[in-house]
Amino acid sequence: MLTLHVAENSPETAVLVDGATIAAVAPYEELIAAAPRARVRRWPGILTPGLLNPYAPELLESTYHPDPREADALGTEPITGERAQAIFRRDPSLLGASARRGVQRMLAHGTVAVAGDLRTRTVADVVRRAGLAVGQRPPRLPGPPSLSPRPLILLPPLARSGAARFAVFDVETREDLVTRGASTCVATVIEGRIVHRSR
């Protein structure tokens, strides 16, 4: 089934998705005329190719993302540094579940690709199963590691026959996205599936 994604502030960059593949990228009016029976997904903000987060090792192997059931003891925010390492030393089996929660946080920030050398098969498998692309890590990183790194790294423009992988942010323009950051993400699509939506 064809699905047409369009965001209110970027109707000139609507995306027609066929399964896990992009069938076309064009203005909304052009695509709805060509595929009038497509299911339409309307989003606020702008539709983008999504973000590359270059801090995969730091965020997924060196950070502990608490289970919500641990909130009373550990809080809800990611745990870094020696405290995170102590948690993993105490119970190495926690790494996989933590990485899965970390990936969900990344998806909620419009991340569709990651970079950095992952040292553990457990985390590499989590990334692969999530459908995240693996890209080139920039030679210089601004730091510190973040779910919304600065500067944001937008992927190349979407194209026909490419993977249906993109993100939508509730902002007016790309300049607004740079200013407000990746927490404005309202939807992330991987392999044609909506893997995160905030509304």
Side-chain angles (χ1 to χ4, degrees):
M1 180 177 182
L2 294 174
T3 303
L4 178 53
H5 293 263
V6 60
E8 61 184 11
N9 294 333
S10 59
E12 72 286 353
T13 310
V15 179
L16 186 64
V17 174
D18 185 2
T21 304
I22 293 175
V25 181
Y28 169 75
E29 295 298 338
E30 185 177 317
L31 292 182
I32 196 64
R37 296 187 178 181
R39 177 174 57 184
V40 178
R41 296 278 192 183
R42 298 182 183 276
W43 306 102
I46 63 172
L47 191 153
T48 76
L51 303 177
L52 180 144
N53 192 308
Y55 296 108
E58 292 84 354
L59 293 175
L60 300 179
E61 292 180 325
S62 300
T63 299
Y64 181 67
H65 299 271
D67 187 299
R69 294 169 294 185
E70 300 173 307
D72 288 345
L74 299 178
T76 59
E77 293 302 306
I79 297 170
T80 60
E82 177 54 33
R83 189 179 175 207
Q85 295 311 305
I87 291 171
F88 292 136
R89 284 196 299 270
R90 187 168 63 247
D91 187 352
S93 69
L94 293 175
L95 180 61
S98 171
R100 286 191 291 274
R101 292 189 291 270
V103 164
Q104 287 303 311
R105 288 178 182 262
M106 286 181 155
L107 295 173
H109 285 75
T111 296
V112 300
V114 296
D117 293 329
L118 295 171
R119 301 180 299 276
T120 63
R121 177 176 292 181
T122 297
V123 174
D125 285 346
V126 168
V127 168
R128 177 180 55 79
R129 288 171 184 158
L132 290 167
V134 177
Q136 184 79 24
R137 191 166 188 168
R140 297 180 63 186
L141 297 175
S146 172
L147 293 166
S148 183
R150 293 183 181 275
L152 296 176
I153 304 174
L154 275 169
L155 293 174
L158 299 171
R160 181 179 179 182
S161 300
R165 187 184 288 122
F166 51 89
V168 184
F169 298 89
D170 190 7
V171 294
E172 295 291 330
T173 63
R174 287 197 177 197
E175 291 73 20
D176 193 20
L177 171 59
V178 170
T179 300
R180 295 175 57 192
S183 63
T184 56
C185 179
V186 293
T188 304
V189 174
I190 300 280
E191 296 178 351
R193 296 178 295 110
I194 299 173
V195 294
H196 164 75
R197 63 182 303 169
S198 66
R199 59 184 66 186

